[in-house]
Amino acid sequence: MDKKIKAFQLKKRIAVEYITALERFRESFSGDDAKQIPEASADLDRHKEEFFIAIAKLEELDDSNEAIELCIKERIEIEGRCRKLKTFFRENLRKEEVSLNETTGLASSTFAFGRPNTPHLRLPKIELPTFDGDHTKWLSFRDRFIAMIDASSELPSIAKLEYLLSSLKGEAALPFEHTALTDDNYSVTWAQLLKRYDNSRLLVREYYRKLHYLPAVHVECVDKLTNLVDEFLRYVNGFVKLKEPVDSWDTPLSNMLLMKLDRATLLAWEKHSVHFKRDKYSDVIQFVEDRIQILKSTNNFASESGERSSKVAGSNRPPQARRSIANVASSRSTPTVTSSSKCLLQCADGHLLRSCPVFNGKDVHQRREFVSSKHLCWNCLGDSHQVKACKSDYTCRICHQRHHTLLHAPVHTPSSMVAMAIQNNDGMVFLETALLYIVDGYGKRHEARALLDSGSMSNFVSNTLARKLLGMTRNKVNVSVAGIGNASQLMKGSIVATVESRINTHASQLELLILDSPFMHIPTAPIDASSWEMPSLPLADPSFYVPGKIDIIIGGDTYWELHSGKKRSLGEGKPWLVETAFGWVVAGNASFGGSHGSQLCHLSTNVTPSLESIMERFWEIETVAEDPILSAEENACEKHFVATTTRDASGRWVDKAQYELR
């Protein structure tokens, strides 16, 4: 009993000391400490709660009159001290909010809610700004909300809180989902929102990251160019608002924008700026904006002219699009289409047929029918010649025949391969799987699921994951990889990437061959491991018993370097836990029963005959023929003998021709 009393007395004393420290913070408070008020207020609530929990336990353990009287006095004293601290924090927090409104310069904005001298005008409804947690949209939301809601002296705090909570969406709304609608909660909620998002250092990083990852324009397209310029200007204006020295960033900003332009626009800029001494951001952005206006006007004019010229009396022939070779920038002879060329599928943008999203959305047979109906070239999809006269050096990337890859139709040849497999439901072999991070060329980590395979001589990565790794250099390789049954695949690309452990500090640099076909799911079926007594060890793959896709295969070259040699058994009939650099993996055999009567036999085939004919052929193999089996030569000799001989009256075999003459 004495130990428990001492323990709770210690907790009470610690809480009192923390409250005393907050009182010292109040005595030495200055204007620079105003930002610490939300944290100090939260600490006060926590220490106050800890004190009253400890005092209640002491009252239960020692119910003597003297002890109860002492606890009551301590309760009253701490309650008064905490009340004074709470009042101090609330008053100074409001002063901090007023100073924030003054620094933004928006407290005196033209917001006229319920002004008595304002004439009764029917103004259009103004939508409140919303914020979903995107850092690049915070500055706009903050300024508009302060001007419309926070700076209004007519609105009560509870109404401001209601407006604030209704403006928050998605990620930004989650921390305040259960906030009570009271006057005091508005200042606390707004302060927490400012603390979380109003961080200029974090905002600069986020703006630069978004600017860096803006998608590039690969083919000249007005809409994509417009979207690129709009987003680029938005992020740069954000830098200006954060008081970054944008005026001295001509070189990085201009080069970053030029790297995202299509080849035709970049070539036009080079012609325009050939005599410039340096690239200025203002010149580049002005040039691109002017080019967008020119392209829009040209497209509209070409569209109207095309419609008028197609309505010539007595002619139903569509007008031929004018061709230009100004944008040809390839050493190979490929068909060129100007930016003003109209798509054959009547798209608004001028683009090649192979870049048309509508054409790419069709299946192979629909594409083939469209190309045939329009009498287009099957190799380059041009409309001025047929495939026999095509001068393009490109061929199908799949079969290397003289047709476009978008028109490649897989040939289904009948096969007589029959595979039989036996599955035993009493057991399963667990392969080593691990969750890890793979780092792309920009240092961003992507989570992936890896298979540790000692039988593989190479490392592999799926094409789906390889496409997500930005900034990675693809190396051209020509490696043939053979698997079970000598089935081989040709690898034409590889990357060198770093894989990192989620649990430890381990990192390995691996060369990964890019595999086009997807990996199989491991395990192939869900496993019930709820009855296993798993030790408290960090598992490399916590969901090892659930079927999931494999993104990476780490082969035998690195396999043994990842294992420490330690292992632990999960018990009889269960697999092992093996320690690796990525955590503990589950590996080995596991049995789920003792009988052998639950084996299943599966038959899989891709032949065109029915299953009945296959089984009939199977039984014919086992049937013993009654007649002697003759070879081809023996069968021919037998037929010749029967055709040229016959039996006479005495039963002898004689020549048929001579016998008939007699």
Side-chain angles (χ1 to χ4, degrees):
M1 184 68 69
D2 292 339
K3 290 183 178 180
K4 291 185 178 180
I5 293 176
K6 289 182 179 180
F8 286 110
Q9 285 178 345
L10 178 61
K11 291 183 178 180
K12 181 189 74 172
R13 181 181 174 185
I14 292 173
V16 172
E17 291 296 329
Y18 274 118
I19 295 173
T20 305
L22 291 175
E23 290 175 339
R24 290 196 295 268
F25 169 76
R26 178 188 62 187
E27 294 171 359
S28 61
F29 181 81
S30 63
D32 297 335
D33 300 330
K35 294 182 179 180
Q36 303 180 25
I37 291 179
E39 291 83 355
S41 180
D43 292 341
L44 177 63
D45 295 337
R46 186 173 71 255
H47 299 319
K48 178 182 176 182
E49 182 181 0
E50 292 174 353
F51 171 81
F52 282 107
I53 291 175
I55 205 76
K57 290 293 183 181
L58 289 174
E59 291 174 350
E60 293 178 3
L61 296 174
D62 188 359
D63 56 353
S64 62
N65 294 332
E66 295 81 4
I68 295 296
E69 190 70 24
L70 180 62
C71 289
I72 292 174
K73 291 181 179 180
E74 291 180 344
R75 281 176 178 270
I76 296 173
E77 178 188 0
I78 293 299
E79 185 69 37
R81 292 167 64 181
C82 292
R83 189 183 305 111
K84 292 179 181 180
L85 284 170
K86 198 72 174 178
T87 303
F88 172 80
F89 291 152
R90 187 182 299 110
E91 291 177 352
N92 284 273
L93 184 61
R94 289 176 179 173
K95 293 179 182 179
E96 171 66 14
E97 291 176 352
V98 172
S99 65
L100 176 64
N101 293 339
E102 292 174 353
T103 56
T104 55
L106 294 170
S108 59
S109 61
T110 58
F111 190 78
F113 273 131
R115 293 183 180 176
N117 297 327
T118 304
H120 297 284
L121 300 177
R122 295 182 62 85
L123 298 176
K125 181 181 178 181
I126 301 176
E127 294 290 339
L128 283 176
T130 58
F131 179 64
D132 58 359
D134 185 353
H135 289 78
T136 61
K137 299 178 182 178
W138 163 252
L139 294 176
S140 175
F141 168 77
R142 183 197 67 185
D143 295 345
R144 292 180 62 193
F145 187 84
I146 290 176
M148 296 175 64
I149 304 297
D150 187 76
S152 174
S153 58
E154 290 84 0
L155 280 176
S157 297
I158 191 170
K160 293 181 180 180
L161 178 61
E162 177 64 27
Y163 281 126
L164 178 60
L165 295 178
S166 62
S167 299
L168 300 179
K169 307 295 181 183
E171 177 186 343
L174 288 178
F176 312 104
E177 185 176 357
H178 302 291
T179 301
L181 291 176
T182 61
D183 289 335
D184 295 338
N185 278 345
Y186 172 69
S187 58
V188 176
T189 304
W190 182 244
Q192 291 179 355
L193 202 63
L194 290 174
K195 177 187 174 184
R196 186 167 188 175
Y197 293 103
D198 202 30
N199 186 336
S200 59
R201 182 164 167 262
L202 178 64
L203 290 175
V204 169
R205 291 181 179 178
E206 190 65 19
Y207 271 101
Y208 192 83
R209 189 181 72 84
K210 289 292 186 68
L211 189 67
H212 184 76
Y213 284 109
L214 273 176
V217 179
H218 299 290
V219 181
E220 190 178 62
C221 175
V222 177
D223 293 337
K224 291 182 179 179
L225 275 175
T226 304
N227 183 67
L228 172 65
V229 171
D230 291 344
E231 290 296 300
F232 206 94
L233 285 172
R234 185 169 78 89
Y235 296 142
V236 172
N237 291 335
F239 285 128
V240 174
K241 200 161 192 176
L242 292 168
K243 295 181 170 54
E244 289 295 311
V246 176
D247 294 337
S248 59
W249 288 4
D250 278 333
T251 300
L253 289 179
S254 60
N255 281 276
M256 190 175 295
L257 180 57
L258 290 173
M259 291 172 62
K260 298 182 182 298
L261 298 177
D262 60 280
R263 189 177 184 86
T265 305
L266 188 59
L267 181 61
W269 163 254
E270 291 300 324
K271 292 180 179 179
H272 173 75
S273 63
V274 65
H275 297 297
F276 291 2
K277 293 183 178 180
R278 55 177 298 184
D279 293 330
K280 291 186 178 181
Y281 167 70
S282 57
D283 295 339
V284 178
I285 200 72
Q286 185 63 46
F287 169 81
V288 179
E289 289 179 337
D290 293 343
R291 184 171 177 82
I292 291 173
Q293 293 298 325
I294 293 172
L295 291 176
K296 285 184 177 179
S297 302
T298 306
N299 285 350
N300 294 335
F301 181 77
S303 177
E304 293 175 1
S305 301
E307 291 177 359
R308 288 196 299 267
S309 62
S310 63
K311 296 179 181 179
V312 179
S315 175
N316 296 325
R317 186 177 179 180
Q320 294 292 330
R322 252 182 13 175
R323 298 184 177 275
S324 171
I325 60 172
N327 294 332
V328 177
S330 175
S331 60
R332 292 189 173 185
S333 58
T334 55
T336 59
V337 179
T338 62
S339 61
S340 60
S341 297
K342 291 196 64 176
C343 176
L344 294 175
L345 289 169
Q346 305 301 321
C347 295
D349 296 333
H351 49 234
L352 296 172
L353 182 61
R354 64 170 178 266
S355 304
C356 177
V358 180
F359 184 73
N360 282 270
K362 299 177 179 291
D363 57 33
V364 178
H365 298 290
Q366 291 174 337
R367 296 187 204 131
R368 285 172 164 248
E369 291 177 359
F370 179 80
V371 171
S372 299
S373 63
K374 297 294 182 180
H375 304 289
L376 305 179
C377 174
W378 277 65
N379 190 44
C380 68
L381 304 181
D383 59 352
S384 62
H385 60 271
Q386 294 299 312
V387 66
K388 293 182 180 181
C390 184
K391 298 180 180 180
S392 175
D393 296 333
Y394 291 103
T395 57
C396 177
R397 293 195 298 266
I398 300 175
C399 64
H400 304 290
Q401 299 297 320
R402 292 284 288 175
H403 61 253
H404 200 277
T405 308
L406 293 174
L407 305 179
H408 175 80
V411 180
H412 299 284
T413 57
S415 174
S416 59
M417 295 175 58
V418 179
M420 298 188 68
I422 297 178
Q423 175 185 345
N424 188 349
N425 291 337
D426 294 337
M428 177 171 287
V429 177
F430 282 88
L431 303 180
E432 300 181 10
T433 57
L435 296 180
L436 48 81
Y437 294 120
I438 182 168
V439 185
D440 63 13
Y442 295 105
K444 185 178 180 181
R445 299 192 299 178
H446 304 262
E447 188 174 83
R449 191 164 184 255
L451 169 66
L452 308 184
D453 185 6
S454 61
S456 176
M457 298 179 65
S458 302
N459 306 313
F460 300 93
V461 62
S462 66
N463 190 33
T464 304
L465 178 59
R467 290 179 178 271
K468 297 180 181 178
L469 304 177
L470 302 178
M472 304 295 292
T473 302
R474 288 204 178 195
N475 304 315
K476 291 185 178 180
V477 298
N478 191 8
V479 179
S480 180
V481 179
I484 297 176
N486 291 328
S488 61
Q489 297 187 46
L490 185 62
M491 305 291 171
K492 296 185 178 181
S494 70
I495 59 173
V496 177
T498 301
V499 294
E500 296 180 355
S501 173
R502 299 182 305 110
I503 300 171
N504 305 319
T505 58
H506 174 81
S508 300
Q509 193 175 50
L510 305 176
E511 182 180 8
L512 304 163
L513 297 176
I514 301 175
L515 188 64
D516 291 333
S517 58
F519 299 130
M520 64 180 296
H521 283 56
I522 294 179
T524 55
I527 307 301
D528 184 11
S530 58
S531 61
W532 295 0
E533 296 181 2
M534 302 291 293
S536 57
L537 296 174
L539 293 179
D541 185 5
S543 303
F544 67 92
Y545 51 87
V546 179
K549 66 176 182 178
I550 297 296
D551 304 303
I552 300 173
I553 294 179
I554 299 179
D557 190 25
T558 315
Y559 178 87
W560 300 111
E561 298 178 5
L562 301 173
H563 289 69
S564 65
K566 298 180 181 179
K567 64 178 182 178
R568 295 182 60 173
S569 175
L570 293 176
E572 185 178 357
K574 297 181 179 63
W576 292 78
L577 289 178
V578 183
E579 187 183 34
T580 68
F582 305 116
W584 291 78
V585 298
V586 180
N589 297 328
S591 59
F592 306 107
S595 65
H596 297 282
S598 59
Q599 293 183 349
L600 301 177
C601 179
H602 301 277
L603 172 68
S604 61
T605 177
N606 58 350
V607 295
T608 53
S610 62
L611 183 63
E612 290 78 5
S613 61
I614 297 175
M615 297 304 297
E616 183 179 353
R617 289 177 56 193
F618 174 75
W619 291 115
E620 288 177 355
I621 296 174
E622 298 294 324
T623 303
V624 179
E626 297 179 357
D627 299 329
I629 300 176
L630 303 177
S631 64
E633 292 80 3
E634 292 174 338
N635 190 34
C637 183
E638 183 73 18
K639 290 181 179 180
H640 175 74
F641 181 79
V642 172
T644 57
T645 60
T646 184
R647 289 181 180 271
D648 59 6
S650 61
R652 294 182 303 168
W653 289 96
V654 296
D655 185 82
K656 181 182 291 186
Q658 295 180 1
Y659 181 76
E660 290 176 353
L661 289 174
R662 287 187 297 175

